[in-house]
């Protein structure tokens, strides 16, 4: 018998694949059981409700997002380059064959009316990303008002790429972010 940590990981990863591909509401717990190879009884002992499983999947997605952003930022030397690296990360992600848009936006769209836990988890991720962008904007010496503009470009690129089915939105959003950043830095007194 596998330990709880391994079972939990298997269930979350299986649910993530299914939810991301098919949508949260279209996937029942029997499908998760079959994909994970973990009994329903065990799944419900680890996740008392489907809502708990959805939140665990979103937390897993947040770890993946944070790791991807961090890896892109490692290659950048300045705060300005780290900001623009967000869009380079998006470009690579949009090119993945299983790209279906932002799991947070997708879950919010499906469940926001019925799950406070999902709403809160999605909001936390979006706020954390906004705070990350705000810190880089501050470090770049640009005005704080630029941070939500750049975050919105990243969020919009995700939605546009998912709907149109191509990676072009990442480069377009990067160009817009670069223009905004350069304009803001030109206005900022030294």
């Amino acid at each position: 018998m596998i330990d709880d940590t391994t079972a939990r990981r298997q269930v979350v990863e299986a649910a993530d694949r299914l939810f991301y591909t098919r949508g949260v509401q279209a996937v029942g717990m029997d499908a998760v059981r079959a994909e994970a190879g973990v009994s329903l009884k065990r799944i419900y002992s680890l996740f008392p409700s489907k809502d708990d499983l959805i939140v665990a999947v979103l937390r897993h997605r947040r770890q993946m997002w944070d790791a991807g952003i961090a890896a892109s930022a490692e290659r950048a030397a300045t705060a300005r380059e780290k900001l623009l690296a967000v869009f380079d990360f998006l470009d690579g992600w949009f090119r993945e064959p299983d790209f279906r848009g932002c799991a947070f936006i997708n879950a919010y769209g499906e469940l926001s009316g019925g799950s406070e836990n999902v709403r809160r988890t999605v909001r936390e991720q979006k706020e954390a990303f906004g705070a990350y962008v705000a810190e880089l904007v501050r470090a770049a010496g640009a005005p704080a008002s630029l941070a939500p503009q750049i975050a919105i470009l990243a969020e919009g690129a995700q939605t546009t790429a998912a709907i149109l089915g191509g990676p072009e939105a990442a480069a377009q959003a990067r160009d817009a972010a670069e223009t905004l950043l350069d304009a803001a830095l030109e206005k900022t007194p030294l």
Side-chain angles (χ1 to χ4, degrees), residues 18-47:
L18 293 169
F19 293 165
Y20 192 63
T21 302
R22 298 185 199 167
V24 174
Q25 293 181 336
V27 174
M29 294 304 277
D30 278 332
V32 173
R33 175 199 49 77
E35 180 82 9
V38 175
S39 73
L40 276 177
K41 183 178 178 182
R42 185 86 181 270
I43 290 173
Y44 280 114
S45 75
L46 297 167
F47 305 97

Side-chain angles (χ1 to χ4, degrees), residues 48-170:
S49 70
K50 186 176 179 183
D51 202 53
D52 293 324
L53 179 56
I54 296 164
V55 168
V57 166
L58 291 174
R59 288 182 177 146
H60 170 71
R61 278 277 164 171
R62 182 171 172 183
Q63 290 172 345
M64 292 169 46
W65 170 267
D66 290 348
I69 294 290
S72 285
E74 282 179 12
R75 296 185 291 271
T78 66
R80 180 184 188 282
E81 291 170 357
K82 288 177 194 275
L83 273 169
L84 297 176
V86 166
F87 299 96
D88 299 334
F89 164 73
L90 293 177
D91 183 75
W93 179 36
F94 296 169
R95 293 173 189 278
E96 291 178 8
D98 66 342
F99 175 72
R100 303 275 186 281
C102 174
F104 297 93
I105 294 169
N106 296 347
Y108 187 86
E110 280 193 73
L111 303 171
S112 65
S115 174
E116 178 54 37
N117 290 333
V118 170
R119 279 194 303 273
R120 182 179 60 252
T121 304
V122 169
R123 194 175 306 117
E124 287 169 357
Q125 189 273 335
K126 297 305 178 189
E127 288 171 350
F129 176 62
Y132 172 78
V133 170
E135 177 55 32
L136 291 176
V137 164
R138 187 200 59 72
S145 60
L146 182 63
Q149 296 170 14
I150 290 178
I152 287 169
L153 286 171
E155 298 295 344
Q158 292 173 68
T159 302
T160 301
I163 292 169
L164 297 181
E168 298 81 12

